[in-house]
Amino acid sequence: SAVISQKPSRDICQRGTSLTIQCQVDSQVTMMFWYRQQPGQSLTLIATANQGSEATYESGFVIDKFPISRPNLTFSTLTVSNMSPEDSSIYLCSVGTEGYTFGSGTRLTVV
Amino acid sequence: KQEVTQIPAALSVPEGENLVLNCSFTDSAIYNLQWFRQDPGKGLTSLLLIQSSQREQTSGRLNASLDKSSGRSTLYIAASQPGDSATYLCAANSGNTPLVFGKGTRLSVIA
């Protein structure tokens, strides 16, 4: 199965700023998925990122707040924009090849 | 739309006990059922993947079963150890769609 490198692993950010999270996959994949895990909660899908097209966002998530790039078949970024303390979560990327694998997560704290 | 439910939400057992974690899903046209482990503040580790044509998978002390007709999966852990303490997440998808997660079972194995 695919191996995903995700960074940063954690960050503490000031409210109103933005953070970009990167995921690099060791093989080419058609779709990449971005999830959010709020404290004490399970994972919620933010969006699906296909190479060469705009990401598809789930209900409750919008492109202006969570812009996603997918420049090629092995890389994607998620930006959390204009952050507030409510954005404090773990953010994870995932790909589905022979089952789904996940990056190690980015633990974001907004102060 | 697939929905996944896990019970119990938390479980505490003495070391050495065998235990069962339960997962139910609403859409029987399931494609993959996957069990993950998550340690506090960390990413997800895939434990077992059951594809729609399979009924169970085993890895070491872990055994996962899938019953599509009843919409249920179980994760059996034999001879539990303190190192098994973690949150266990069940996730499923229908067709080539992203995984939908349950809220997890938080397991504590007491030495």
Side-chain angles (χ1 to χ4, degrees), chain A residues 26-59:
Chain A
D26 69 345
S27 58
Q28 294 185 337
V29 293
T30 304
M31 290 189 288
M32 294 181 70
F33 308 102
W34 288 96
Y35 287 83
R36 179 176 74 180
Q37 186 177 30
Q38 295 178 298
Q41 303 297 314
S42 190
L43 279 74
T44 300
L45 181 68
I46 298 173
T48 300
N50 289 315
Q51 193 270 334
S53 63
E54 282 201 2
T56 303
Y57 289 83
E58 298 298 302
S59 176

mmCIF file of all heavy atoms in Angstrom, chain A residues 26-59:
data_model
loop_
_atom_site.group_PDB
_atom_site.id
_atom_site.type_symbol
_atom_site.label_atom_id
_atom_site.label_comp_id
_atom_site.label_asym_id
_atom_site.label_seq_id
_atom_site.Cartn_x
_atom_site.Cartn_y
_atom_site.Cartn_z
ATOM 1 N N ASP A 26 4.027 8.158 -2.289
ATOM 2 C CA ASP A 26 5.156 7.507 -2.968
ATOM 3 C C ASP A 26 4.742 6.813 -4.254
ATOM 4 O O ASP A 26 5.562 6.120 -4.879
ATOM 5 C CB ASP A 26 5.845 6.519 -2.026
ATOM 6 C CG ASP A 26 4.988 5.301 -1.707
ATOM 7 O OD1 ASP A 26 3.769 5.336 -1.969
ATOM 8 O OD2 ASP A 26 5.543 4.329 -1.166
ATOM 9 N N SER A 27 3.497 6.970 -4.664
ATOM 10 C CA SER A 27 3.031 6.404 -5.928
ATOM 11 C C SER A 27 1.944 7.317 -6.492
ATOM 12 O O SER A 27 1.397 8.157 -5.773
ATOM 13 C CB SER A 27 2.486 4.985 -5.735
ATOM 14 O OG SER A 27 1.425 4.989 -4.804
ATOM 15 N N GLN A 28 1.654 7.147 -7.759
ATOM 16 C CA GLN A 28 0.634 7.988 -8.384
ATOM 17 C C GLN A 28 -0.758 7.498 -8.010
ATOM 18 O O GLN A 28 -1.042 6.296 -8.105
ATOM 19 C CB GLN A 28 0.822 7.979 -9.907
ATOM 20 C CG GLN A 28 2.113 8.627 -10.359
ATOM 21 C CD GLN A 28 2.214 8.708 -11.875
ATOM 22 O OE1 GLN A 28 1.582 7.952 -12.589
ATOM 23 N NE2 GLN A 28 3.011 9.647 -12.362
ATOM 24 N N VAL A 29 -1.603 8.404 -7.606
ATOM 25 C CA VAL A 29 -2.967 8.063 -7.214
ATOM 26 C C VAL A 29 -3.926 9.059 -7.848
ATOM 27 O O VAL A 29 -3.602 10.238 -7.984
ATOM 28 C CB VAL A 29 -3.145 8.058 -5.682
ATOM 29 C CG1 VAL A 29 -2.352 6.934 -5.049
ATOM 30 C CG2 VAL A 29 -2.744 9.394 -5.077
ATOM 31 N N THR A 30 -5.100 8.567 -8.197
ATOM 32 C CA THR A 30 -6.079 9.439 -8.840
ATOM 33 C C THR A 30 -6.697 10.410 -7.845
ATOM 34 O O THR A 30 -6.784 11.608 -8.083
ATOM 35 C CB THR A 30 -7.176 8.602 -9.505
ATOM 36 O OG1 THR A 30 -6.569 7.685 -10.417
ATOM 37 C CG2 THR A 30 -8.167 9.488 -10.237
ATOM 38 N N MET A 31 -7.136 9.884 -6.722
ATOM 39 C CA MET A 31 -7.841 10.719 -5.741
ATOM 40 C C MET A 31 -7.079 10.763 -4.427
ATOM 41 O O MET A 31 -6.516 9.764 -3.978
ATOM 42 C CB MET A 31 -9.247 10.179 -5.505
ATOM 43 C CG MET A 31 -10.186 10.364 -6.690
ATOM 44 S SD MET A 31 -11.896 9.955 -6.312
ATOM 45 C CE MET A 31 -11.775 8.173 -6.194
ATOM 46 N N MET A 32 -7.100 11.928 -3.821
ATOM 47 C CA MET A 32 -6.606 12.104 -2.458
ATOM 48 C C MET A 32 -7.728 12.717 -1.646
ATOM 49 O O MET A 32 -8.543 13.493 -2.165
ATOM 50 C CB MET A 32 -5.363 12.987 -2.422
ATOM 51 C CG MET A 32 -4.152 12.349 -3.109
ATOM 52 S SD MET A 32 -2.674 13.367 -3.040
ATOM 53 C CE MET A 32 -2.269 13.271 -1.304
ATOM 54 N N PHE A 33 -7.776 12.366 -0.376
ATOM 55 C CA PHE A 33 -8.858 12.803 0.496
ATOM 56 C C PHE A 33 -8.283 13.569 1.689
ATOM 57 O O PHE A 33 -7.223 13.209 2.216
ATOM 58 C CB PHE A 33 -9.646 11.591 0.999
ATOM 59 C CG PHE A 33 -10.114 10.674 -0.101
ATOM 60 C CD1 PHE A 33 -9.442 9.498 -0.359
ATOM 61 C CD2 PHE A 33 -11.213 10.997 -0.869
ATOM 62 C CE1 PHE A 33 -9.857 8.641 -1.373
ATOM 63 C CE2 PHE A 33 -11.633 10.157 -1.885
ATOM 64 C CZ PHE A 33 -10.955 8.978 -2.134
ATOM 65 N N TRP A 34 -8.995 14.591 2.087
ATOM 66 C CA TRP A 34 -8.603 15.358 3.265
ATOM 67 C C TRP A 34 -9.686 15.239 4.328
ATOM 68 O O TRP A 34 -10.879 15.444 4.043
ATOM 69 C CB TRP A 34 -8.396 16.831 2.906
ATOM 70 C CG TRP A 34 -7.147 17.057 2.108
ATOM 71 C CD1 TRP A 34 -7.013 17.151 0.761
ATOM 72 C CD2 TRP A 34 -5.826 17.222 2.652
ATOM 73 N NE1 TRP A 34 -5.700 17.351 0.424
ATOM 74 C CE2 TRP A 34 -4.950 17.402 1.556
ATOM 75 C CE3 TRP A 34 -5.298 17.239 3.938
ATOM 76 C CZ2 TRP A 34 -3.571 17.598 1.721
ATOM 77 C CZ3 TRP A 34 -3.939 17.435 4.097
ATOM 78 C CH2 TRP A 34 -3.089 17.616 3.002
ATOM 79 N N TYR A 35 -9.235 14.916 5.559
ATOM 80 C CA TYR A 35 -10.147 14.733 6.682
ATOM 81 C C TYR A 35 -9.779 15.692 7.809
ATOM 82 O O TYR A 35 -8.616 16.104 7.950
ATOM 83 C CB TYR A 35 -10.055 13.301 7.228
ATOM 84 C CG TYR A 35 -10.672 12.231 6.374
ATOM 85 C CD1 TYR A 35 -9.971 11.666 5.310
ATOM 86 C CD2 TYR A 35 -11.952 11.753 6.646
ATOM 87 C CE1 TYR A 35 -10.533 10.664 4.534
ATOM 88 C CE2 TYR A 35 -12.519 10.744 5.880
ATOM 89 C CZ TYR A 35 -11.807 10.204 4.831
ATOM 90 O OH TYR A 35 -12.370 9.194 4.072
ATOM 91 N N ARG A 36 -10.753 15.972 8.643
ATOM 92 C CA ARG A 36 -10.528 16.737 9.868
ATOM 93 C C ARG A 36 -11.004 15.888 11.051
ATOM 94 O O ARG A 36 -12.043 15.235 10.974
ATOM 95 C CB ARG A 36 -11.309 18.053 9.840
ATOM 96 C CG ARG A 36 -11.136 18.900 11.096
ATOM 97 C CD ARG A 36 -11.858 20.220 10.976
ATOM 98 N NE ARG A 36 -13.299 20.075 11.100
ATOM 99 C CZ ARG A 36 -14.160 21.085 11.024
ATOM 100 N NH1 ARG A 36 -13.706 22.307 10.802
ATOM 101 N NH2 ARG A 36 -15.448 20.866 11.153
ATOM 102 N N GLN A 37 -10.240 15.936 12.125
ATOM 103 C CA GLN A 37 -10.635 15.255 13.346
ATOM 104 C C GLN A 37 -10.590 16.271 14.485
ATOM 105 O O GLN A 37 -9.512 16.647 14.961
ATOM 106 C CB GLN A 37 -9.731 14.065 13.666
ATOM 107 C CG GLN A 37 -10.197 13.252 14.852
ATOM 108 C CD GLN A 37 -9.333 12.038 15.097
ATOM 109 O OE1 GLN A 37 -8.143 12.035 14.815
ATOM 110 N NE2 GLN A 37 -9.938 10.979 15.639
ATOM 111 N N GLN A 38 -11.750 16.730 14.888
ATOM 112 C CA GLN A 38 -11.826 17.688 15.990
ATOM 113 C C GLN A 38 -11.598 16.957 17.310
ATOM 114 O O GLN A 38 -11.780 15.733 17.383
ATOM 115 C CB GLN A 38 -13.187 18.388 15.957
ATOM 116 C CG GLN A 38 -13.346 19.250 14.703
ATOM 117 C CD GLN A 38 -14.690 19.924 14.614
ATOM 118 O OE1 GLN A 38 -15.717 19.274 14.544
ATOM 119 N NE2 GLN A 38 -14.680 21.250 14.614
ATOM 120 N N PRO A 39 -11.201 17.683 18.347
ATOM 121 C CA PRO A 39 -10.857 17.039 19.628
ATOM 122 C C PRO A 39 -11.965 16.122 20.125
ATOM 123 O O PRO A 39 -13.127 16.512 20.223
ATOM 124 C CB PRO A 39 -10.652 18.237 20.555
ATOM 125 C CG PRO A 39 -10.209 19.337 19.649
ATOM 126 C CD PRO A 39 -10.971 19.142 18.382
ATOM 127 N N GLY A 40 -11.588 14.874 20.409
ATOM 128 C CA GLY A 40 -12.528 13.906 20.946
ATOM 129 C C GLY A 40 -13.525 13.364 19.949
ATOM 130 O O GLY A 40 -14.436 12.627 20.339
ATOM 131 N N GLN A 41 -13.373 13.718 18.678
ATOM 132 C CA GLN A 41 -14.328 13.290 17.659
ATOM 133 C C GLN A 41 -13.687 12.332 16.664
ATOM 134 O O GLN A 41 -12.476 12.110 16.683
ATOM 135 C CB GLN A 41 -14.869 14.515 16.909
ATOM 136 C CG GLN A 41 -15.514 15.555 17.792
ATOM 137 C CD GLN A 41 -16.736 15.025 18.489
ATOM 138 O OE1 GLN A 41 -17.592 14.373 17.879
ATOM 139 N NE2 GLN A 41 -16.842 15.276 19.788
ATOM 140 N N SER A 42 -14.520 11.783 15.793
ATOM 141 C CA SER A 42 -13.999 10.919 14.744
ATOM 142 C C SER A 42 -13.626 11.760 13.514
ATOM 143 O O SER A 42 -13.627 12.986 13.576
ATOM 144 C CB SER A 42 -15.042 9.872 14.377
ATOM 145 O OG SER A 42 -14.468 8.897 13.531
ATOM 146 N N LEU A 43 -13.303 11.092 12.442
ATOM 147 C CA LEU A 43 -12.843 11.786 11.242
ATOM 148 C C LEU A 43 -14.026 12.205 10.376
ATOM 149 O O LEU A 43 -14.950 11.423 10.140
ATOM 150 C CB LEU A 43 -11.935 10.876 10.419
ATOM 151 C CG LEU A 43 -10.482 10.781 10.866
ATOM 152 C CD1 LEU A 43 -10.355 9.944 12.110
ATOM 153 C CD2 LEU A 43 -9.623 10.205 9.749
ATOM 154 N N THR A 44 -13.940 13.430 9.869
ATOM 155 C CA THR A 44 -14.942 13.962 8.955
ATOM 156 C C THR A 44 -14.258 14.348 7.656
ATOM 157 O O THR A 44 -13.235 15.043 7.674
ATOM 158 C CB THR A 44 -15.623 15.202 9.561
ATOM 159 O OG1 THR A 44 -16.249 14.835 10.797
ATOM 160 C CG2 THR A 44 -16.669 15.766 8.607
ATOM 161 N N LEU A 45 -14.825 13.922 6.545
ATOM 162 C CA LEU A 45 -14.241 14.223 5.246
ATOM 163 C C LEU A 45 -14.437 15.698 4.914
ATOM 164 O O LEU A 45 -15.559 16.211 5.000
ATOM 165 C CB LEU A 45 -14.882 13.354 4.172
ATOM 166 C CG LEU A 45 -14.364 13.525 2.752
ATOM 167 C CD1 LEU A 45 -12.925 13.029 2.637
ATOM 168 C CD2 LEU A 45 -15.251 12.800 1.757
ATOM 169 N N ILE A 46 -13.349 16.375 4.536
ATOM 170 C CA ILE A 46 -13.433 17.764 4.088
ATOM 171 C C ILE A 46 -13.692 17.810 2.591
ATOM 172 O O ILE A 46 -14.625 18.467 2.127
ATOM 173 C CB ILE A 46 -12.125 18.521 4.413
ATOM 174 C CG1 ILE A 46 -11.876 18.563 5.918
ATOM 175 C CG2 ILE A 46 -12.163 19.929 3.805
ATOM 176 C CD1 ILE A 46 -10.512 19.139 6.283
ATOM 177 N N ALA A 47 -12.838 17.124 1.833
ATOM 178 C CA ALA A 47 -12.934 17.210 0.382
ATOM 179 C C ALA A 47 -12.167 16.083 -0.274
ATOM 180 O O ALA A 47 -11.294 15.455 0.334
ATOM 181 C CB ALA A 47 -12.400 18.558 -0.110
ATOM 182 N N THR A 48 -12.487 15.855 -1.530
ATOM 183 C CA THR A 48 -11.786 14.910 -2.389
ATOM 184 C C THR A 48 -11.053 15.703 -3.453
ATOM 185 O O THR A 48 -11.650 16.569 -4.120
ATOM 186 C CB THR A 48 -12.780 13.945 -3.058
ATOM 187 O OG1 THR A 48 -13.493 13.227 -2.053
ATOM 188 C CG2 THR A 48 -12.051 12.971 -3.974
ATOM 189 N N ALA A 49 -9.768 15.410 -3.620
ATOM 190 C CA ALA A 49 -8.940 16.163 -4.557
ATOM 191 C C ALA A 49 -8.523 15.272 -5.721
ATOM 192 O O ALA A 49 -7.845 14.268 -5.537
ATOM 193 C CB ALA A 49 -7.698 16.695 -3.847
ATOM 194 N N ASN A 50 -8.945 15.653 -6.916
ATOM 195 C CA ASN A 50 -8.543 14.970 -8.142
ATOM 196 C C ASN A 50 -7.543 15.828 -8.892
ATOM 197 O O ASN A 50 -7.676 17.051 -8.936
ATOM 198 C CB ASN A 50 -9.750 14.731 -9.048
ATOM 199 C CG ASN A 50 -10.664 13.670 -8.497
ATOM 200 O OD1 ASN A 50 -10.218 12.633 -8.049
ATOM 201 N ND2 ASN A 50 -11.955 13.934 -8.547
ATOM 202 N N GLN A 51 -6.548 15.186 -9.487
ATOM 203 C CA GLN A 51 -5.566 15.940 -10.257
ATOM 204 C C GLN A 51 -6.211 16.512 -11.506
ATOM 205 O O GLN A 51 -6.918 15.797 -12.218
ATOM 206 C CB GLN A 51 -4.382 15.031 -10.613
ATOM 207 C CG GLN A 51 -3.174 15.781 -11.132
ATOM 208 C CD GLN A 51 -3.173 15.952 -12.645
ATOM 209 O OE1 GLN A 51 -3.766 15.156 -13.340
ATOM 210 N NE2 GLN A 51 -2.525 16.998 -13.127
ATOM 211 N N GLY A 52 -5.982 17.780 -11.748
ATOM 212 C CA GLY A 52 -6.474 18.421 -12.963
ATOM 213 C C GLY A 52 -7.875 18.972 -12.875
ATOM 214 O O GLY A 52 -8.395 19.483 -13.864
ATOM 215 N N SER A 53 -8.511 18.876 -11.723
ATOM 216 C CA SER A 53 -9.851 19.449 -11.573
ATOM 217 C C SER A 53 -9.994 20.030 -10.179
ATOM 218 O O SER A 53 -9.178 19.769 -9.301
ATOM 219 C CB SER A 53 -10.924 18.390 -11.827
ATOM 220 O OG SER A 53 -10.830 17.359 -10.875
ATOM 221 N N GLU A 54 -11.042 20.806 -9.989
ATOM 222 C CA GLU A 54 -11.274 21.385 -8.671
ATOM 223 C C GLU A 54 -11.692 20.304 -7.672
ATOM 224 O O GLU A 54 -12.351 19.337 -8.029
ATOM 225 C CB GLU A 54 -12.367 22.454 -8.751
ATOM 226 C CG GLU A 54 -11.860 23.768 -9.320
ATOM 227 C CD GLU A 54 -12.750 24.933 -8.933
ATOM 228 O OE1 GLU A 54 -13.727 24.726 -8.195
ATOM 229 O OE2 GLU A 54 -12.451 26.056 -9.382
ATOM 230 N N ALA A 55 -11.325 20.532 -6.429
ATOM 231 C CA ALA A 55 -11.695 19.586 -5.381
ATOM 232 C C ALA A 55 -13.199 19.602 -5.165
ATOM 233 O O ALA A 55 -13.877 20.604 -5.418
ATOM 234 C CB ALA A 55 -10.970 19.940 -4.094
ATOM 235 N N THR A 56 -13.712 18.488 -4.701
ATOM 236 C CA THR A 56 -15.131 18.353 -4.357
ATOM 237 C C THR A 56 -15.268 18.416 -2.850
ATOM 238 O O THR A 56 -14.715 17.572 -2.134
ATOM 239 C CB THR A 56 -15.689 17.019 -4.875
ATOM 240 O OG1 THR A 56 -15.486 16.934 -6.282
ATOM 241 C CG2 THR A 56 -17.172 16.914 -4.555
ATOM 242 N N TYR A 57 -16.024 19.410 -2.368
ATOM 243 C CA TYR A 57 -16.135 19.647 -0.935
ATOM 244 C C TYR A 57 -17.405 19.040 -0.364
ATOM 245 O O TYR A 57 -18.459 19.039 -1.009
ATOM 246 C CB TYR A 57 -16.102 21.159 -0.651
ATOM 247 C CG TYR A 57 -14.740 21.761 -0.881
ATOM 248 C CD1 TYR A 57 -14.324 22.131 -2.156
ATOM 249 C CD2 TYR A 57 -13.862 21.938 0.178
ATOM 250 C CE1 TYR A 57 -13.062 22.654 -2.371
ATOM 251 C CE2 TYR A 57 -12.596 22.479 -0.027
ATOM 252 C CZ TYR A 57 -12.198 22.820 -1.305
ATOM 253 O OH TYR A 57 -10.948 23.342 -1.503
ATOM 254 N N GLU A 58 -17.295 18.559 0.852
ATOM 255 C CA GLU A 58 -18.456 18.023 1.562
ATOM 256 C C GLU A 58 -19.274 19.167 2.152
ATOM 257 O O GLU A 58 -18.794 20.301 2.300
ATOM 258 C CB GLU A 58 -18.002 17.074 2.666
ATOM 259 C CG GLU A 58 -17.256 15.861 2.155
ATOM 260 C CD GLU A 58 -18.091 14.978 1.245
ATOM 261 O OE1 GLU A 58 -19.156 14.523 1.710
ATOM 262 O OE2 GLU A 58 -17.676 14.750 0.084
ATOM 263 N N SER A 59 -20.493 18.819 2.506
ATOM 264 C CA SER A 59 -21.379 19.816 3.103
ATOM 265 C C SER A 59 -20.747 20.394 4.363
ATOM 266 O O SER A 59 -20.229 19.658 5.211
ATOM 267 C CB SER A 59 -22.723 19.160 3.443
ATOM 268 O OG SER A 59 -23.564 20.067 4.110
#
